[in-house]
Amino acid sequence: MRRMLASCFAFLIATSVADASPIMCATIARKVSEKLRLLSAKAPQPDGPGLSIRAAFAGSPAKMDSGTPATAEMLAEFPLSDADRKQLSNSTVRIARAGGDGGLVLIDDVSGTAQCHTPHLFSLASGQKHALEVSAPNDPFDRCGHAVMALTEFEGSAYFVEMDDGADETENFRITGQNNDMLGMTCSITIRYKMDYAPAESFCAKPNLCALGPKAAVWARAWRTGGAELRDPAFSPAPIPKFANGDRALPLFGGVSKLAPQPFTYEAQENFFAISGEPDADLLRIGAAKPGPANMADWQTFTLAGLYKADNPVASFVIRRHRAGFESVTINR
């Protein structure tokens, strides 16, 4: 009889968690959508805090805890292997908690230049610290770079959260629920944003050339997205010129970049277009910024545009792609 009651009790807990999961996902998706619409109405700027799940989560019904720095004394309380303890001693480690005495504990191990996360989860449901197997994503780099590991709770149940924190047109938010001393995937939420392009920095031989910054932003969008602007009759593909100084860096005029302590350089993929109709420029050079120590975090958001006259540089622009508005929220079961 006691075993039957225990089984029934475990079934009711599991059912309660399962029933709460879609409600929780739908509630968070709705709240995030509402908050992102409000943030979008403020016309986000390239240099501002921007739109993100992290910014929107403040409007959700749950609190998100990405942890605080963990000490050796804190880690000593958990049944970690010797190999894990050695790895943690050489990493940045944070610890987060959710769900109270029967909830979850997250030990987040962040290491390497790519800032990759190795999450260690523990359940407290049985009154002891029980290690949980965290399912790995399909792409191991899903937990690197801009990834965020955190815990949250909804109506007394704890959840493990994995999210992006980048600047692309989409962000993903995965939620894994606690079921006693086990984990099961609950759902994932995808946020989609409207993207825009704006000149972030300009370096010009003549002041009037810097007025071409908005045009350079349009060209950058067209180059990135295959837009029609660079197929206008005013543009025609051009061969790579023989630059007199061989300099492939931006800025071109000795300016100090606010975006990066070192000059930007072009990625290998770049294009040249002959321009007609611009009196002070006859050649456009456009391409992605090359990743490097100076701009590793945001290099994907930058497009470089250089203007030349008779193969001599006359202007250069750093164009930043940014989230200009919220588009949609999708719940993936």
Side-chain angles (χ1 to χ4, degrees):
M1 182 67 176
R2 184 176 298 175
R3 182 178 300 175
M4 183 181 297
L5 287 173
S7 299
C8 290
F9 182 65
F11 173 77
L12 288 173
I13 292 177
T15 303
S16 176
V17 171
D19 289 344
S21 296
I23 297 173
M24 180 270 298
C25 287
T27 301
I28 289 181
R30 177 173 55 81
K31 291 293 185 180
V32 165
S33 177
E34 292 170 355
K35 184 65 176 292
L36 287 173
R37 290 187 191 281
L38 290 174
L39 293 175
S40 294
K42 298 179 181 180
Q45 299 300 312
D47 295 324
L51 299 171
S52 67
I53 293 175
R54 183 185 284 272
F57 207 91
S60 77
K63 294 181 179 179
M64 183 179 69
D65 184 6
S66 56
T68 56
T71 64
E73 290 76 14
M74 292 177 181
L75 299 179
E77 301 177 14
F78 295 88
L80 294 158
S81 68
D82 292 340
D84 285 339
R85 292 189 187 281
K86 183 177 180 180
Q87 173 64 30
L88 291 169
S89 67
N90 296 316
S91 307
T92 301
V93 185
R94 301 179 70 84
I95 187 167
R97 302 171 186 270
D101 293 340
L104 295 173
V105 177
L106 166 66
I107 297 174
D108 187 15
D109 165 13
V110 185
S111 61
T113 55
Q115 294 292 284
C116 293
H117 298 251
T118 304
H120 304 270
L121 269 181
F122 295 88
S123 169
L124 308 179
S126 61
Q128 299 179 343
K129 299 178 178 68
H130 181 81
L132 301 177
E133 186 70 27
V134 183
S135 57
N138 293 330
D139 183 351
F141 288 99
D142 282 353
R143 287 185 177 152
C144 298
H146 295 296
V148 175
M149 307 290 112
L151 294 181
T152 188
E153 55 186 88
F154 181 78
E155 295 186 351
S157 297
Y159 295 85
F160 172 51
V161 175
E162 301 173 85
M163 68 178 70
D164 304 331
D165 197 24
D168 293 334
E169 59 268 30
T170 59
E171 278 186 299
N172 294 300
F173 183 110
R174 294 194 297 188
I175 306 172
T176 305
Q178 178 189 15
N179 184 0
N180 291 329
D181 282 337
M182 298 177 64
L183 289 176
M185 178 58 68
T186 300
C187 65
S188 64
I189 296 173
T190 298
I191 313 293
R192 185 170 293 277
Y193 301 95
K194 300 174 183 176
M195 304 301 292
D196 202 0
Y197 293 73
E201 291 187 351
S202 303
F203 303 91
C204 305
K206 299 178 182 179
N208 64 302
L209 283 165
C210 277
L212 295 175
K215 283 189 177 181
V218 172
W219 301 335
R221 175 193 284 275
W223 185 81
R224 288 279 191 177
T225 64
E229 288 81 2
L230 292 178
R231 297 195 297 273
D232 186 275
F235 294 90
S236 58
I240 300 175
K242 294 181 179 179
F243 298 111
N245 57 9
D247 186 9
R248 299 172 63 83
L250 290 174
L252 299 174
F253 304 101
V256 177
S257 174
K258 294 180 290 185
L259 298 177
Q262 300 172 0
F264 282 101
T265 58
Y266 284 92
E267 180 62 287
Q269 183 185 8
E270 56 180 331
N271 295 99
F272 292 84
F273 295 91
I275 307 174
S276 62
E278 294 291 348
D280 295 316
D282 56 24
L283 183 71
L284 167 66
R285 179 185 188 181
I286 192 164
K290 183 178 181 180
N295 61 330
M296 179 63 78
D298 296 317
W299 74 270
Q300 299 97 330
T301 69
F302 296 127
T303 304
L304 309 182
L307 292 176
Y308 296 78
K309 184 71 173 180
D311 292 348
N312 293 312
V314 293
S316 60
F317 303 93
V318 181
I319 309 300
R320 174 178 279 167
R321 184 179 65 158
H322 71 285
R323 293 169 179 167
F326 162 72
E327 190 168 278
S328 64
V329 170
T330 304
I331 300 175
N332 310 299
R333 302 292 183 197

